[in-house]
Amino acid sequence: MPEQPVTVAVSTVIFGLRGVDGEPVLHLPLVQRVRQPHLGRWALPGGPLRADESLRDAARRSLADTTGLDPAHLEQLYTFGAVDRGAADRVVSVVYWALVRTEEAERTPDDPHVAWFPAERLPLLAFDHDEIVGWAVKRLKAKLEYTHLSHALLPDEFTLGQLREVHEAILGRRLDPANFRRRVEATGTVAPTGAHQAGVRHRPPALYRSTAREELLT
């Protein structure tokens, strides 16, 4: 039996918040396949690893090429290498997951084959990408409990209410505002800017900035 060629690919699950009926909802961008296999199905952005680039560089390059996004946070998720993953040749995929700020997630892609979908309501995906997304969502929820990566989904300045809405969108449940405020302030990872949110009636909420930049840029 001839030896089956093996291709190393890099794919990325990108998370961002987009407004739906006035509330932030966790979304991710997908790329529609224009060739077989799985012609017409949606898939994660990615492509083959080049001989002259690192895995991380490949992830950033493929994101820029397919979606135009530059993530605020990028880290390796897992390697998927089952023998039959739905492709003609053997493909081993090193998967990253990324977070982009709200202003990037709200942009409408110029490419008709790139679109954002709610993480909880995805179309039928190509290959094993539904399994990959499931792993990424679990990792995001887990890290929300002991890191401050939620800051990477927000602008440079944000209210504590907006930060709470990020946690609610990821966890899929409401959080008590007072308890959340106390918990966030106790971490020392946010600092008041001295400014307040514009365009809000009555008492405009205070704006904060993240002091946990080292976590956002890993």
Side-chain angles (χ1 to χ4, degrees):
M1 179 181 294
E3 214 173 284
Q4 185 181 20
V6 177
T7 300
V8 177
V10 178
S11 298
T12 307
V13 185
I14 311 127
F15 293 115
L17 295 175
R18 291 169 66 91
V20 177
D21 297 328
E23 294 193 358
V25 175
L26 192 66
H27 281 66
L28 60 149
L30 299 172
V31 179
Q32 191 172 37
R33 290 186 57 80
V34 295
R35 61 178 65 87
Q36 294 290 0
H38 301 291
L39 174 67
R41 283 195 187 179
W42 295 89
L44 296 170
L49 175 69
R50 295 174 181 172
D52 61 346
E53 64 183 352
S54 69
L55 292 169
R56 191 180 186 84
D57 288 345
R60 286 195 175 275
R61 187 257 310 159
S62 66
L63 281 182
D65 289 348
T66 56
T67 67
L69 294 171
D70 181 22
H73 177 84
L74 178 71
E75 70 174 85
Q76 196 171 130
L77 173 67
Y78 197 69
T79 298
F80 294 81
V83 174
D84 182 11
R85 299 182 59 228
D89 297 326
R90 177 81 186 276
V91 178
V92 174
S93 291
V94 180
V95 179
Y96 281 76
W97 66 284
L99 303 176
V100 295
R101 299 190 185 281
T102 303
E103 57 265 31
E104 283 202 71
E106 289 286 5
R107 293 177 189 151
T108 302
D110 293 332
D111 190 333
H113 297 291
V114 178
W116 287 84
F117 293 88
E120 297 298 325
R121 297 193 303 276
L122 297 178
L124 182 63
L125 302 184
F127 309 112
D128 56 354
H129 290 189
D130 55 343
E131 177 187 358
I132 294 174
V133 172
W135 275 77
V137 170
K138 288 180 182 177
R139 178 71 61 85
L140 177 60
K141 289 183 177 181
K143 296 204 74 168
L144 196 67
E145 298 297 326
Y146 63 91
T147 72
H148 312 289
L149 292 181
S150 54
H151 299 186
L153 291 162
L154 288 167
D156 289 336
E157 296 185 353
F158 51 85
T159 69
L160 292 185
Q162 289 171 330
L163 182 59
R164 175 172 48 82
E165 288 177 344
V166 170
H167 284 247
E168 291 175 341
I170 294 172
L171 297 174
R173 57 184 172 85
R174 297 294 185 184
L175 301 174
D176 180 74
N179 288 339
F180 182 82
R181 172 183 285 272
R182 285 194 293 269
R183 186 156 56 96
V184 169
E185 290 178 340
T187 66
T189 59
V190 297
T193 65
H196 290 78
Q197 188 178 27
V200 179
R201 288 185 175 183
H202 308 301
R203 293 181 58 188
L207 290 172
Y208 290 77
R209 62 177 177 83
S210 173
T211 60
R213 288 298 178 190
E214 69 281 358
E215 288 189 17
L216 307 187
L217 300 175
T218 55

